[in-house]
Amino acid sequence: MAAPAPAGGMLWGDGFEIETVINTRIAAAGLTITEVPSVERLRMFGDTNLRTFADGARVLRTLLAERRRAAATGPARTPTPAPGRTHGAWARRHRAYAP
């Protein structure tokens, strides 16, 4: 089921640039990003849908849009700890909440 695009323009996530949006917002929030290894196998059927320059331009446009959005909304807020999570690894990552 496809969601209709909003009246103001495209719906984020209608292309693979959603990965760029997610990663930039997580990084701006000061959260930790961890890479998880995966195995890519050879494609059995069909051809790639990747269009190198067009898709790269979309990602670059997304990065610029995220930069403008961050500048317009001000600095990212430091995340608040969940109840009972004020010590340990979370607090070490977010020193403002360490005892």
Side-chain angles (χ1 to χ4, degrees):
M1 180 174 157
M10 104 174 163
L11 179 67
W12 283 114
D14 67 348
F16 75 94
E17 70 273 3
I18 188 66
E19 179 182 352
T20 306
V21 172
I22 292 169
N23 282 317
T24 55
R25 291 185 185 182
I26 287 173
L31 301 174
T32 302
I33 298 173
T34 302
E35 290 191 53
V36 178
S38 65
V39 176
E40 300 293 328
R41 296 182 183 249
L42 293 176
R43 183 182 296 272
M44 293 179 69
F45 302 103
D47 294 321
T48 182
N49 292 323
L50 179 68
R51 298 169 309 158
T52 308
F53 294 104
D55 291 337
R58 286 177 74 166
V59 169
L60 182 58
R61 209 168 33 249
T62 302
L63 287 170
L64 295 172
E66 284 298 301
R67 184 178 191 112
R68 284 190 304 271
R69 187 190 67 79
T73 60
R77 294 181 302 142
T78 303
T80 56
R85 298 279 322 261
T86 56
H87 300 306
W90 196 95
R92 283 192 296 277
R93 286 193 308 271
H94 303 284
R95 292 186 199 152
Y97 298 102

